[in-house]
Amino acid sequence: MSKIETLIGYKEQTQKERIKDMIPMFQKKALLPALCVSICLCAGMIPNVSAVENVNSTIVTPCSMYITDAKVRFAIDKGIATIKASVIGQDGVDRCKVEVTLQEKVGSTWKIVGTWTDETGGVRASVSETKAVTAGKTYRAKVVVTAWSGSKSETKTILSPEKKA
């Protein structure tokens, strides 16, 4: 070793020593992203936890006030469209109604080709009907269900998938 190398503390390393010295550097570089990710994840949780003031005062509002269930089944087989639709009201409902409209696609609009209604003084109403349709044309069923409790009501509209005759 020369005098200059001795003065500045230079030491010639073998390849193994250089690799060994680099390992801690890679570990430090890998530690930083992991630390950043964990801080971000933990920081994201803090507002959610601190935002809850009193869990016992939470009020859950139902999606439907008066309608428990509303369904439509629509099929076309051998030129006959079959539509079955129903509504079931929640407890306290005193009247239900189902309005079914069979629609034929004409260009980009829908033309009404049949309408049926059932209205009852109870918690259930249903329609089950058939109608001849034209081969090659596209149809759908539009169902509007309503349930009343006194003077208050709730209405939902259901569109069936389009079917080709």
Side-chain angles (χ1 to χ4, degrees):
M1 202 186 287
S2 73
K3 287 183 181 181
I4 295 175
E5 290 173 336
T6 306
L7 287 174
I8 60 172
Y10 176 80
K11 178 184 170 190
E12 196 168 323
Q13 294 178 322
T14 65
Q15 187 174 2
K16 283 184 179 182
E17 289 174 328
R18 281 188 297 236
I19 291 172
K20 188 177 176 184
D21 288 343
M22 290 171 52
I23 290 173
M25 181 177 65
F26 286 117
Q27 289 173 344
K28 288 177 187 174
K29 286 184 179 180
L31 182 62
L32 185 61
L35 183 61
C36 290
V37 168
S38 63
I39 288 172
C40 290
L41 290 174
C42 291
M45 291 181 186
I46 293 169
N48 291 338
V49 174
S50 63
V52 177
E53 292 175 12
N54 186 354
V55 176
N56 294 329
S57 68
T58 303
I59 298 172
V60 178
T61 308
C63 292
S64 296
M65 294 299 296
Y66 303 113
I67 297 172
T68 298
D69 192 23
K71 294 180 183 175
V72 62
R73 275 198 242 153
F74 176 58
I76 297 177
D77 187 36
K78 297 176 185 171
I80 303 293
T82 303
I83 306 166
K84 295 181 180 186
S86 63
V87 63
I88 299 172
Q90 306 234 7
D91 288 340
V93 166
D94 49 47
R95 188 167 52 126
C96 286
K97 182 178 179 181
V98 177
E99 298 173 273
V100 176
T101 306
L102 178 62
Q103 300 176 330
E104 178 185 309
K105 193 170 192 175
V106 179
S108 61
T109 61
W110 292 94
K111 179 179 101 175
I112 297 171
V113 292
T115 304
W116 304 272
T117 303
D118 181 38
E119 187 171 345
T120 65
V123 296
R124 294 174 189 263
S126 63
V127 168
S128 182
E129 294 290 339
T130 60
K131 181 161 178 75
V133 291
T134 307
K137 302 268 184 170
T138 302
Y139 296 87
R140 74 176 181 189
K142 178 182 176 183
V143 178
V144 179
V145 298
T146 307
W148 285 269
S149 180
S151 62
K152 296 180 181 178
S153 67
E154 177 182 19
T155 300
K156 286 187 178 183
T157 301
I158 305 166
L159 292 174
S160 74
E162 298 175 14
K163 306 273 184 179
K164 197 163 191 167

